[in-house]
Amino acid sequence: MTIHILNYINGEWIPSQNGKTISITNPAHPNEIVGRVQASTASDVLAACDAAEKAAKSWGFLSPTVRAQFLQKAADILEVRKDEIAETATREMGKRFIETKGEVTRAVTILRYYAQEGFRKIGEVLPSAFQDHLLYSLRVPLGVVGIISPWNFPIAIPIWKIAPALIYGNTVVFKPATETGITGAKLVEVFDEAGVPEGVINFVTGKGSEIGHSLVGNPNVDAITFTGSNIVGKTIAQLAVETRKKYQLELGGKNPAIVLEDADLELAAKLVVEGAMKQTGQRCTATSRVYIQSSIYETFKQLVTDELKLFKVGDGLNQDITFGPVASKNQYETVLNYIRLGLEEGATLAYGGEEANQENQADGYFIKPCLFENVTNEMRIAKEEIFGPILCMIKVNSYEEALSQANKTNYGLSASLFTKDLKKSLDFVRNSEVGMVQINGETGGAEPQAPFGGMKESSSGTREQGQAAVEFFTAYKTVSINPN
Ligand code: NAP
Ligand code: MG
């Protein structure tokens, strides 16, 4: 049964004005069509933005404690629909069912967290130079927020943008990644079922390269929150500046881990492999470079290889599988090209790296986890974000050398250090040029109540998640009342 997904505009599920659709396929079985989404046009985006604008005043005026009830309800509904939505996401982009279920659980937590934000302070009373005046600040909604999300976290990322947007009083136009448009629609159904008033959340699918600028450039849209690639992020920022909008970008990473000789090597190997290979390496926070002190290089390499050998590649809907396909044909070709490039650049394969269909007797986008050695910082495989299951090992003589090489990148999302040395740990916290630091943890570790984001070219600056989100999704209004 193929699912036919419509746009959701002003509280109604409607087809795109041109009637065209896009097929979504399953990366574990590329011949299987999971469903169809609307190939929307600029006029559909316009209608969605108009609806959001129309609803913005009344939604923004509701008490946050009342808005909170809609988020609570959405959380309850999402929890009930966990398996169904997780399965859809697995079939759309290949991530293992256990991981997509984890993502739904995370999304439920995020909704409940932001529902609680509806009961917290919305401003501050300040001392005035005029003794009988009341001077205070208020956090007010921005108006309409445009949300553009990637396919790699098709549940958690939309929710960690939609939930704060709504609780702080904004209305939303949401465009998911095309690869995961069906999952996106199911999330919108959850808000629909929760009774969110018409126009508060609007949903359009379609190629970002065709309709993205209509959303970002729309005069009724006040802010854009985007997670995706650096190249698209840059064009969004430019258009947002031209059309005077607030914007937030969460972009790529090339995250390093450093393993020193005094580390718990078994723990480090386990967490470096998890960091690199979880979700088939398709995480912005994935570990892609590991700097290993030369005295323990061979031991660590063996431990990592042993971990990699445990992976069982296949369709992530199957419970025995521990390593799913990459998300699409495009991803498959990109990753295989990088493996060829690494070999051309002079790196050597310490493990895996080949496509894994034959032994699987499958036709999906399966690649075995890939471990490169003899890598230098100057190679493209060590510099560019690959977004796939490739880990580069680089030998270093000291912590200082590792830190300096780890920082030599345009990205700055996350970084890990494995050591028992407190002094080096604190030095790493200070000098690592990233937004998220892990000591004896994997680079992808993130909790929804903590600020999430990077430095350098990985982010635009304002953080997502936790209470940090209020910075992006609201503006200050400063009020002075003279009672006389
Ligand atoms: P992408 O190609 O940049 O796409 C992201 C979103 O932007 C999709 O919804 C896409 O729509 C849309 N889009 C494409 N072209 C557009 C345009 N010209 N204007 C407006 N929107 C446009 O990224 P992706 O391949 O989906 O995701 C992988 C990237 O996301 C990686 O670089 C990864 O590091 C990054 N990422 C970052 C974080 C973080 O928090 N820092 C988290 C996850 C992923 P279509 O799908 O229709 O093309
Ligand atoms: Mg894409």
Side-chain angles (χ1 to χ4, degrees):
M1 187 195 65
T2 50
I3 307 167
H4 189 78
I5 293 299
L6 300 173
N7 287 335
Y8 183 74
I9 297 174
N10 208 26
E12 277 186 81
W13 292 95
I14 51 174
S16 157
Q17 294 182 15
N18 71 7
K20 291 195 183 135
T21 58
I22 304 169
S23 298
I24 313 287
T25 54
N26 179 343
H29 312 282
N31 292 325
E32 177 194 328
I33 293 177
V34 184
R36 292 192 175 81
V37 298
Q38 301 300 306
S40 305
T41 61
S43 55
D44 300 306
V45 174
L46 187 66
C49 296
D50 284 350
E53 168 69 11
K54 225 172 67 200
K57 260 223 150 61
S58 54
W59 179 252
F61 188 53
L62 266 190
S63 163
T65 63
V66 175
R67 291 196 293 259
Q69 291 169 16
F70 292 103
L71 268 65
Q72 285 290 10
K73 197 140 187 228
D76 295 345
I77 296 166
L78 184 57
E79 196 164 43
V80 170
R81 293 183 61 180
K82 181 188 286 184
D83 283 10
E84 170 220 339
I85 292 178
E87 184 183 331
T88 304
T90 295
R91 291 174 71 212
E92 279 192 301
M93 55 71 73
K95 178 152 64 172
R96 293 187 304 133
F97 186 48
I98 189 168
E99 289 172 337
T100 49
K101 272 206 295 197
E103 226 191 299
V104 180
T105 304
R106 165 74 63 113
V108 170
T109 304
I110 293 168
L111 280 165
R112 295 199 170 126
Y113 176 88
Y114 282 109
Q116 289 307 307
E117 272 295 278
F119 294 85
R120 296 200 184 103
K121 65 172 187 177
I122 53 167
E124 283 167 337
V125 179
L126 301 153
S128 168
F130 306 96
Q131 62 181 15
D132 55 348
H133 287 200
L134 176 59
L135 178 65
Y136 64 99
S137 66
L138 274 178
R139 291 281 190 179
V140 298
L142 302 173
V144 177
V145 175
I147 295 178
I148 303 178
S149 59
W151 45 262
N152 70 326
F153 282 96
I155 302 155
I157 290 180
I159 294 295
W160 85 48
K161 293 178 186 296
I162 293 170
L166 295 186
I167 197 68
Y168 298 127
N170 305 284
T171 58
V172 160
V173 177
F174 165 38
K175 192 214 96 62
T178 299
E179 281 97 334
T180 54
I182 302 169
T183 304
K186 286 179 182 267
L187 298 178
V188 174
E189 282 171 13
V190 164
F191 289 97
D192 182 24
E193 279 177 51
V196 169
E198 64 187 35
V200 169
I201 178 163
N202 302 276
F203 170 78
V204 276
T205 54
K207 280 274 147 221
S209 52
E210 289 165 21
I211 58 167
H213 61 280
S214 310
L215 176 56
V216 180
N218 186 288
N220 281 330
V221 173
D222 299 283
I224 292 286
T225 172
F226 170 83
T227 300
S229 61
N230 283 59
I231 185 152
V232 174
K234 196 169 175 181
T235 67
I236 287 179
Q238 279 162 347
L239 185 53
V241 168
E242 275 167 32
T243 54
R244 282 184 292 122
K245 290 182 174 63
K246 198 169 179 181
Y247 65 88
Q248 173 182 57
L249 311 173
E250 288 301 342
L251 310 173
K254 190 70 192 172
N255 313 295
I258 297 173
V259 183
L260 300 183
E261 58 193 4
D262 71 340
D264 176 338
L265 294 187
E266 277 176 22
L267 177 80
K270 193 172 161 291
L271 293 178
V272 166
V273 167
E274 189 180 315
M277 301 301 169
K278 200 169 173 182
Q279 242 180 269
T280 322
Q282 301 169 118
R283 294 188 300 163
C284 53
T285 50
T287 309
S288 60
R289 306 174 279 154
V290 56
Y291 296 91
I292 308 157
Q293 209 162 4
S294 46
S295 51
I296 49 136
Y297 181 85
E298 289 304 327
T299 315
F300 187 72
K301 173 180 153 188
Q302 189 59 50
L303 287 167
V304 166
T305 313
D306 291 346
E307 287 284 331
L308 294 177
K309 281 183 188 154
L310 299 175
F311 283 121
K312 195 160 183 299
V313 184
D315 181 346
L317 269 186
N318 179 338
Q319 282 197 346
D320 315 330
I321 293 301
T322 51
F323 203 79
V326 294
S328 62
K329 185 157 192 255
N330 197 11
Q331 282 292 106
Y332 184 65
E333 283 165 1
T334 305
V335 173
L336 290 176
N337 278 336
Y338 269 109
I339 293 171
R340 277 191 284 274
L341 174 72
L343 294 170
E344 276 165 31
E345 289 184 301
T348 51
L349 278 171
Y351 182 80
E354 64 271 30
E355 57 93 26
N357 271 329
Q358 253 170 349
E359 80 188 48
N360 256 0
Q361 298 188 315
D363 60 354
Y365 303 128
F366 297 107
I367 301 170
K368 271 193 163 178
C370 170
L371 182 64
F372 267 125
E373 63 178 335
N374 296 314
V375 179
T376 66
N377 241 28
E378 286 65 46
M379 290 180 185
R380 282 181 56 198
I381 53 166
K383 286 205 279 208
E384 296 172 14
E385 182 185 51
I386 299 171
F387 222 58
I390 299 180
L391 176 63
C392 296
M393 294 193 291
I394 301 174
K395 222 187 263 185
V396 287
N397 290 314
S398 64
Y399 162 70
E400 289 73 19
E401 185 187 345
L403 175 69
S404 136
Q405 293 206 27
N407 278 340
K408 268 194 199 115
T409 167
N410 296 333
Y411 293 109
L413 197 52
S414 62
S416 297
L417 173 67
F418 291 89
T419 185
K420 294 196 180 89
D421 187 320
L422 188 55
K423 199 161 176 221
K424 288 190 179 115
S425 299
L426 290 176
D427 182 84
F428 189 67
V429 170
R430 229 177 3 258
N431 292 313
S432 171
E433 296 166 359
V434 295
M436 294 176 291
V437 182
Q438 293 273 349
I439 305 294
N440 300 316
E442 69 118 328
T443 51
E447 298 194 43
Q449 68 278 23
F452 180 94
M455 292 181 178
K456 298 179 176 172
E457 289 179 20
S458 287
S459 290
S460 60
T462 348
R463 296 291 186 256
E464 302 201 80
Q465 305 204 54
Q467 295 202 345
V470 76
E471 298 296 336
F472 181 72
F473 289 100
T474 64
Y476 267 122
K477 191 173 265 188
T478 305
V479 184
S480 173
I481 298 179
N482 176 355
N484 304 299

